[in-house]
Amino acid sequence: MVYNTTFAFSACKKSLPHWIAVKRIYHNLKDSVYYDLLYTPFSIALNALCDSNWAESPDNYRSTNGYWMFIHQNLVLHSAKKEVVVSKSSIKAKYHSIALATSKLYKI
């Protein structure tokens, strides 16, 4: 490996402390030529929970949906709101909650 010492010397404005630091960096680089940087990929655990409560209010019979997104064990996104449409069944409310959570999960 060849180093351009003239460029480094002109870049540090020819002061002695800087030149000593440049030489020390070159010496460390020369000793570490055969070292490798090892990268091991890790998996990210992304979890989503959702829940719905169908027609809980007798005034308007709208369902309430909520979802929580976790990266590993850390909460990163959450929402709970009353829906604007009235679901005809509890299963339809749950499917709507799952669809909402899935769409938010893909946006993360």
Side-chain angles (χ1 to χ4, degrees):
M1 186 176 279
V2 178
Y3 301 107
N4 188 355
T5 56
T6 57
F7 173 74
F9 188 63
S10 65
C12 68
K13 299 184 179 157
K14 300 179 180 146
S15 66
L16 188 60
H18 288 108
W19 178 242
I20 292 171
V22 167
K23 285 176 63 177
R24 186 175 302 131
I25 290 170
Y26 283 155
H27 180 71
N28 290 337
L29 285 174
K30 181 183 66 123
D31 291 342
S32 64
V33 169
Y34 298 106
Y35 292 148
D36 292 332
L37 182 63
L38 181 64
Y39 171 74
T40 57
F42 60 94
S43 64
I44 294 176
L46 184 61
N47 296 319
L49 301 172
C50 63
D51 191 22
S52 68
N53 192 356
W54 178 64
E56 73 174 0
S57 173
D59 295 333
N60 54 18
Y61 295 104
R62 291 191 295 170
S63 59
T64 305
N65 290 333
Y67 59 86
W68 302 267
M69 307 288 173
F70 296 90
I71 295 180
H72 294 288
Q73 296 161 347
N74 303 316
L75 180 67
V76 293
L77 185 66
H78 68 91
S79 175
K81 67 176 188 171
K82 190 170 281 220
E83 291 300 318
V84 294
V85 295
V86 177
S87 298
K88 294 187 179 191
S89 68
S90 63
I91 297 297
K92 195 169 185 178
K94 291 204 182 285
Y95 280 143
H96 185 69
S97 177
I98 291 169
L100 184 66
T102 304
S103 69
K104 294 293 182 179
L105 188 64
Y106 278 111
K107 289 182 182 178
I108 290 182

